[in-house]
Amino acid sequence: MKKSWWNGKVAYQIYPKSFCDSNGDGIGDLRGVLSKLDYLKDLGVDIIWLSPVYQSPFVDQGYDISDYYRIAEEFGTMEDFDLLLAEAGRRGMSIVMDLVVNHCSDQHEWFQKALADPEGEYAGYFYFRRGRDGQPPSNYRSYFGGSTWSPVPGTDLYYLHMFAPEQPDLNWENPVVRRKIYDMVNWWLDKGVAGFRIDAIINIKKNLDFPSFEPDGPDGLAACTNMVESAHGIGEFLQELKRETFAKHDAFTVGEVFNMKEDELAAFIGDEGHFSTMFDFSAQALTFGGHGWYDAPTIQFDAWREALFNAQREAQGVGFLANIIENHDEPRGASRFLPPYAQNETGKKLLATTSLLLRGISFLYQGQEIGMTNCRMTDISQYEDINTIDQYQVALRAGCTEAEALEACYLNSRDNARTPMQWSGAANGGFTTGTPWLVVNPNYREINAAEQAGRPDSLLNYYKRLIALRKSDAYADTFIYGGFVPAYETEPDILAYLRKGQEQTILVAGNYGETARTLTLDGPAEQVLLTNTGREAELLAQARDEGRITLESCESAVILLWIQ
Ligand code: GLC
Ligand code: CA
């Protein structure tokens, strides 16, 4: 496999609205991000991915862009952005933008012009279609509920939106649209951004017949993913995008890819792939409900381990996956993946260890490094997320009580990840001096960055050590390029694997169970590189004396097995 500059980088996702507010208006902003660059550098971050900071009406929190060349005024100015870029660069960090080009905002000038002249040139930037028998062209349910087709006022036309009605889909079949997108991407790359995280990208290729599918819900609609899965040829668009933009700049790109077809992994992340990497969502996919959040299954350890291992095995020899515990669309990983007895700092360190040392590009999401958790709301009105509000209604319509619907949101809501970053024990967790735009999780008094920075055995300091180990001169090559071999796969509650480098084998082992477990090592232990319990010396002694290690409940260990 080809080597690239980004292979060993650690990335950190910032959700700007909730990261740090510099001017007391309750909304995080670019000056706030700027003020935390040293914090990120100290943590060991190389790449900062900013969720969208472009001008937007914020119907979907910035994933509805009304001008790709402007910074949202809520977040600051282009001068602030340029300063952030320069200051990150000065510290040896890169900025990656969010590229949202499946759709734009209905307030974007293109869509406004299309509405003004529905038979004109700009209508061709979107999917305007005539209805069938007084009905929309097809029966798709959008990702956020309701039909994907909304009427074009004053006509018998409908326009397509896979997400909210305020997010009309851009017509990638139109070469003029593609050219304008490429020009915009190059404009940002010329400015010096290192690359892009590419939003909802699988949706850009439509089945232009727009066939209807068998309804799969009480609303009489069928999931719009049926149409996406029936479309073919996305690779042509993505290769052109790469050729015209990313490749010229040696950019780093990470795709948000769901519903990929089988056997397409190499096309997406192989040496000549569309992207540098793409997120491994196999764990998240285990929690997809059959009908919505109200019937979403909870994580079962065995299925989770199997999904992770399968993804690792498939990517090996093909390319790198990007590994996450959580992001802005998911509940907090500590609340999702850890059983109740593990929902503490030791458990969170365990989760960090087994995730960050996987083969692939490590992504952290803001607040993960201090162990932020889901936030219990007492009323649906406290949520801001469009998806959450829809899913609450879906649950009620399915017969759930209000309490049950709220519980489904507590477990699954995207707002769990969007509550403001907990910087300190001061009012509003130190996020703002004003009124925060979204509830601050009241547990900021116990869980916050300032407290953890001052405590050597904190989760934050553990993350620093873990990242430093991953990037250390002695072991980076193994953690980056070494193979992935599952270990102790039939051992209950154990998530373990070997990372096999040219000259080293490193065992990463974690005990997710409630009781201690003993593992027989299949080679002499050279060194215990890290534990989440401070028991490095004890485990090394046991390994040398007995050829085994006993991991306590929620304990993890990283062990250098032998030097070949
Ligand atoms: C992606 C984003 C999500 C957004 C959606 C529509 O899934 O991560 O936050 O709502 O695309 O742009
Ligand atoms: Ca602000």
Side-chain angles (χ1 to χ4, degrees):
M1 280 170 44
K2 267 201 304 217
K3 293 198 172 179
S4 302
W5 65 267
W6 44 264
N7 289 164
K9 302 297 185 199
V10 170
Y12 184 99
Q13 179 188 358
I14 289 182
Y15 197 70
K17 199 168 180 182
S18 304
F19 191 60
C20 181
D21 174 21
S22 72
N23 63 353
D25 66 355
I27 297 174
D29 46 53
L30 293 178
R31 293 258 165 190
V33 176
L34 190 68
S35 72
K36 299 297 182 185
L37 285 179
D38 289 329
Y39 169 87
L40 298 174
K41 181 69 188 172
D42 191 42
L43 181 57
V45 170
D46 305 298
I47 293 177
I48 299 169
W49 152 29
L50 294 177
S51 272
V53 293
Y54 314 88
Q55 180 180 295
S56 165
F58 284 89
V59 169
D60 186 21
Q61 304 300 358
Y63 284 89
D64 47 322
I65 298 169
S66 55
D67 190 334
Y68 291 94
Y69 292 93
R70 294 181 89 89
I71 298 294
E73 29 176 72
E74 292 85 344
F75 292 160
T77 62
M78 194 58 83
E79 288 69 41
D80 295 336
F81 181 84
D82 291 340
L83 186 61
L84 178 64
L85 200 57
E87 287 297 312
R90 220 163 55 78
R91 291 167 175 81
M93 296 189 284
S94 328
I95 302 279
V96 160
M97 298 285 276
D98 215 307
L99 185 62
V100 188
V101 285
N102 172 67
H103 47 268
C104 58
S105 161
D106 64 341
Q107 300 306 307
H108 193 287
E109 149 182 41
W110 297 339
F111 193 70
Q112 289 299 313
K113 286 182 173 166
L115 289 185
D117 182 8
E119 304 288 344
E121 180 193 346
Y122 284 92
Y125 280 41
F126 300 92
Y127 291 101
F128 279 30
R129 290 288 187 280
R130 294 226 136 62
R132 290 177 189 162
D133 311 322
Q135 296 291 319
S138 58
N139 66 348
Y140 312 144
R141 177 187 315 107
S142 80
Y143 290 109
F144 296 155
S147 172
T148 57
W149 297 100
S150 287
V152 176
T155 71
D156 59 353
L157 294 165
Y158 292 80
Y159 69 92
L160 179 71
H161 53 88
M162 302 293 278
F163 294 89
E166 295 87 349
Q167 295 169 294
D169 278 46
L170 287 164
N171 179 4
W172 274 70
E173 304 291 337
N174 182 339
V176 180
V177 171
R178 297 207 300 277
R179 174 47 44 207
K180 291 199 175 172
I181 290 173
Y182 304 156
D183 289 348
M184 179 273 289
V185 169
N186 284 324
W187 187 83
W188 285 100
L189 288 169
D190 285 338
K191 233 182 196 309
V193 308
F196 292 91
R197 173 266 186 184
I198 299 153
D199 184 74
I201 194 66
I202 207 79
N203 297 285
I204 65 170
K205 188 71 193 179
K206 320 294 188 207
N207 178 342
L208 297 173
D209 295 335
F210 295 117
S212 281
F213 292 90
E214 194 61 39
D216 56 22
D219 53 7
L221 301 173
C224 59
T225 47
N226 286 300
M227 185 272 283
V228 171
E229 285 166 7
S230 74
H232 295 277
I234 192 171
E236 283 160 45
F237 288 160
L238 295 181
Q239 283 295 316
E240 185 183 84
L241 167 64
K242 179 184 174 187
R243 195 168 60 239
E244 295 291 328
T245 61
F246 312 141
K248 295 182 181 166
H249 298 260
D250 195 16
F252 169 73
T253 55
V254 48
E256 186 204 24
V257 183
F258 285 100
N259 305 93
M260 188 185 77
K261 297 184 178 58
E262 269 181 43
D263 305 330
E264 273 192 326
L265 193 65
F268 274 84
I269 60 167
D271 274 352
E272 304 306 323
H274 312 322
F275 305 128
S276 310
T277 178
M278 61 187 244
F279 292 111
D280 175 17
F281 290 125
S282 53
Q284 283 68 28
L286 296 173
T287 64
F288 291 167
H291 305 93
W293 290 353
Y294 72 90
D295 67 351
T298 51
I299 289 282
Q300 302 301 312
F301 177 81
D302 289 349
W304 176 41
R305 175 173 61 182
E306 191 185 330
L308 273 182
F309 285 5
N310 284 342
Q312 288 277 304
R313 274 189 280 248
E314 280 165 23
Q316 192 138 249
V318 175
F320 290 106
L321 288 171
N323 300 311
I324 61 161
I325 291 175
E326 60 206 45
N327 67 23
H328 68 295
D329 290 331
E330 303 291 338
R332 289 290 180 173
S335 303
R336 171 178 269 175
F337 296 110
L338 295 174
Y341 57 81
Q343 299 215 359
N344 48 47
E345 278 202 340
T346 307
K348 292 169 187 176
K349 291 174 184 171
L350 163 70
L351 183 60
T353 311
T354 56
S355 168
L356 260 80
L357 300 180
L358 288 169
R359 190 180 163 283
I361 313 300
S362 300
F363 272 74
L364 276 71
Y365 177 71
Q366 67 183 44
Q368 175 187 324
E369 75 278 21
I370 55 167
M372 284 177 62
T373 65
N374 284 357
C375 182
R376 202 170 274 287
M377 308 286 187
T378 50
D379 192 90
I380 185 64
S381 63
Q382 289 174 291
Y383 285 105
E384 292 286 339
D385 170 34
I386 185 172
N387 196 14
T388 305
I389 292 159
D390 173 57
Q391 285 293 332
Y392 180 78
Q393 295 301 334
V394 168
L396 291 183
R397 279 200 299 271
C400 294
T401 63
E402 285 181 11
E404 287 163 347
L406 211 53
E407 179 69 14
C409 295
Y410 169 64
L411 294 174
N412 297 286
S413 173
R414 311 199 294 179
D415 277 347
N416 283 309
R418 300 175 181 185
T419 62
M421 176 72 185
Q422 295 164 204
W423 291 108
S424 72
N428 301 315
F431 161 73
T432 180
T433 54
T435 306
W437 72 277
L438 181 66
V439 174
V440 177
N441 193 324
N443 68 14
Y444 73 85
R445 294 179 191 87
E446 299 86 54
I447 299 177
N448 66 70
E451 187 278 326
Q452 293 192 26
R455 181 162 54 83
D457 71 346
S458 69
L459 180 63
L460 178 62
N461 282 314
Y462 184 79
Y463 261 100
K464 287 185 203 173
R465 288 209 294 281
L466 186 58
I467 293 172
L469 173 66
R470 192 182 212 285
K471 300 205 297 188
S472 62
D473 290 344
Y475 307 112
D477 206 67
T478 300
F479 286 125
I480 301 167
Y481 299 109
F484 171 90
V485 183
Y488 308 103
E489 250 183 304
T490 54
E491 199 68 49
D493 301 328
I494 295 292
L495 203 168
Y497 49 85
L498 300 173
R499 298 302 316 278
K500 285 197 176 252
Q502 297 279 321
E503 284 153 12
Q504 306 170 328
T505 297
I506 298 173
L507 169 68
V508 179
N511 177 8
Y512 281 82
E514 209 169 356
T515 54
R517 296 216 170 261
T518 300
L519 306 175
T520 303
L521 300 174
D522 50 341
E526 284 285 325
Q527 216 182 318
V528 176
L529 301 174
L530 186 68
T531 69
N532 65 343
T533 50
R535 296 205 314 131
E536 283 80 356
E538 274 160 76
L539 285 178
L540 183 63
Q542 189 197 7
R544 290 201 168 145
D545 296 349
E546 305 171 17
R548 330 179 280 177
I549 52 165
T550 302
L551 294 179
E552 303 296 334
S553 167
C554 298
E555 188 167 41
S556 62
V558 184
I559 301 179
L560 179 63
L561 277 188
W562 63 80
I563 313 260
Q564 281 154 355

